[in-house]
Amino acid sequence: IFAKKDGDDHQFKGAGTTLFSSKPATEDNPEKEADVQFEALVQLNKVEVKTGEEDDIELYKHRAKLFRFHKDTNTWKERGVGDIRILQNKYTKHSRLLMRRDIILKICCNHLITKAMDMQPNASSDKSLVWFTGSDYSEDEPKPEQLAVRFKTAEICADFLKVFNRAKEETPEPGSTPVKPTKPEETPKTEEI
């Protein structure tokens, strides 16, 4: 059936020819590469982004996982993974906990550290801590939350608790907050005649 018959020289059309032309690009050559340049339609200016952390000193920073206690289901729900930081304001000396989720940088924990705040080790793990805050500002509206944070090791957890307790002790009493110094307005110099 597949045997070659005498006089049957069947070949594919164009067999043995060059597939891609190596001719130089000319006006006659339709495969000429075009030198195309695009210009921006809109010019963007650099914008200075303010995070609200410009006046803060970082006392502690480490990667952790944050949980929030959900009262309706009586379970812990993961709130985010990222760097938990203890920040102290340069002027007021108030400290706060701030945590942003990795990649998207959305705030998942943001509240002041008060003298009444009590952070305790979790009963089931030596790598996690539990505390209650009266007003967490990570969502739009401040609301009371019970939070927990879990670290990779017990040593990291102990270091965090030590810095947290030191920040709690250094927190000034309410009402004794100094005001941020303002820059004196420069008055134009006038020359006497």
Side-chain angles (χ1 to χ4, degrees), residues 38-64:
F38 296 99
E39 293 184 25
L41 296 175
V42 177
Q43 296 296 325
L44 299 176
N45 299 325
K46 277 193 171 183
V47 177
E48 185 178 331
V49 177
K50 295 198 179 215
T51 62
E53 303 168 27
E54 291 78 20
D55 294 336
D56 292 340
I57 302 167
E58 189 174 274
L59 302 178
Y60 186 87
K61 175 182 175 180
H62 209 285
R63 186 170 172 79

Side-chain angles (χ1 to χ4, degrees), residues 10-41:
H10 182 61
Q11 290 186 359
F12 291 105
K13 185 177 182 180
T17 60
T18 308
L19 289 176
F20 300 104
S21 173
S22 60
K23 294 187 282 186
T26 63
E27 291 181 13
D28 299 335
N29 188 356
E31 295 176 4
K32 176 183 173 183
E33 289 188 27
D35 184 23
V36 179
Q37 294 181 1
F38 296 99
E39 293 184 25
L41 296 175

Side-chain angles (χ1 to χ4, degrees), residues 79-109:
R79 198 161 202 189
V81 177
D83 289 331
I84 189 163
R85 302 185 301 160
I86 298 176
L87 303 173
Q88 185 179 52
N89 188 284
K90 292 183 220 176
Y91 306 107
T92 64
K93 300 299 181 199
H94 283 284
S95 297
R96 66 180 171 140
L97 277 177
L98 180 69
M99 183 172 176
R100 294 180 185 271
R101 293 185 186 128
D102 282 344
I103 301 170
I104 60 173
L105 301 178
K106 183 177 179 192
I107 294 175
C108 58
C109 177

Side-chain angles (χ1 to χ4, degrees), residues 67-78 146:
F67 298 89
R68 174 180 70 87
F69 189 73
H70 197 269
K71 294 176 188 174
D72 299 338
T73 60
N74 206 26
T75 57
W76 289 98
K77 301 283 185 178
E78 183 178 326
Q146 185 174 5

